[in-house]
Amino acid sequence: MSKQKQETEEDALIEEELYLDATKWKAGLVLSKIQQLAIEFTRAVTSGQDFPLSLHRRDSKNVLWDEEGKLRLGTQKVVKCMFSRQAAGLKRYAMIWKIMAFVQRLLLEEKQCTQREAYYCLVNHFSSQGEFNEALLEVASLIGCSRISLGICAASSGSIAGSVLWLEGGNQPVNCTQVGSTGKRVPGDIESVSFSSLGARYIIVVEKDAVFTYLCQHRLWETLPCVLVTGCGYPPLMVRAVVRLLSDTLKIPAVGLVDYNQHQL
């Protein structure tokens, strides 16, 4: 093997390890991983040992821009210990196991719920929805899968309309020019969603739901070939994911239609 070829392969290996890619797992794989962790935890506890959990850091110090200009989560990790000297660390450790027990029950029953529903099922163990959401992401990080693989999805929020076909699994394609003034609702899971263009040249992200409805009523896409998307205010994660998927698939720019209220973005 030449030196140049060897360096190329080493660079590729390093590049693969730079970023964390959360993938969708089947329920059986998630359940197996939870069971494996539970067995290892039990063995550690019965022998009087700690059982540290290795989690990916979820802060600004562990984000990187990849070669395509996308913001990605890096592979730096932090460790949560059962025998933590800090009460907050011990509490977070217990939260992770509480969520894993809930996820196990959910997947065994072949059910799915939203983050909000999951939080209210465990409301006595978490001080806020934000605290639950953060612990849920840590569970996904620990297992190595996406959040939807845990059976927990985002609530449906936001709508789409305009010059695009919505394709979802084996379902009938939805022509988004024919979805009425309220548009097609964006679901909490878009893993199986794809798009096919009907001549759109722009994606217009509309802040206000009332403005979105007005533009749909007047069928803006017949005058300006476009796709309209709204998050009904500040767009939630799934709406932002839809906009990104649209832009990547259709290769068209996304622009925003917002008011100039700097204090309530």
Side-chain angles (χ1 to χ4, degrees), residues 47-191:
S47 60
Q49 298 177 355
D50 199 349
F51 185 69
L53 301 176
S54 181
L55 310 169
H56 287 89
R57 290 184 58 170
R58 308 193 64 84
D59 57 30
S60 59
K61 295 181 180 179
N62 192 33
V63 292
L64 301 165
W65 295 98
D66 67 11
E67 63 281 356
E68 297 179 359
K70 297 178 182 178
L71 194 61
R72 306 280 294 276
L73 185 65
T75 55
Q76 297 181 31
K77 293 187 176 184
V78 294
V79 175
K80 302 288 184 182
C81 295
M82 179 173 57
F83 299 147
S84 174
R85 295 182 180 179
Q86 298 180 351
L90 181 59
K91 180 183 178 183
R92 180 56 63 89
Y93 189 92
M95 288 175 179
I96 290 171
W97 283 104
K98 196 67 184 177
I99 290 178
M100 281 200 288
F102 176 81
V103 167
Q104 182 184 45
R105 184 168 69 253
L106 196 67
L107 295 180
L108 285 173
E109 295 174 357
E110 298 183 352
K111 294 180 179 179
Q112 190 177 76
C113 69
T114 66
Q115 279 192 150
R116 192 66 174 169
E117 290 169 336
Y119 166 65
Y120 277 114
C121 287
L122 300 172
V123 69
N124 292 331
H125 305 281
F126 295 88
S127 60
S128 67
Q129 178 77 60
E131 187 177 57
F132 171 83
N133 294 349
E134 186 64 27
L136 177 63
L137 289 175
E138 290 183 334
V139 170
S141 169
L142 176 64
I143 295 175
C145 64
S146 60
R147 182 189 60 189
I148 191 64
S149 302
L150 304 177
I152 300 175
C153 63
S156 176
S157 180
S159 301
I160 180 173
S163 303
V164 70
L165 282 177
W166 178 289
L167 310 172
E168 188 169 1
N171 298 330
Q172 187 73 16
V174 176
N175 185 335
C176 291
T177 65
Q178 307 296 327
V179 291
S181 61
T182 57
K184 172 180 170 48
R185 296 294 289 176
V186 174
D189 176 17
I190 63 165
E191 290 281 348

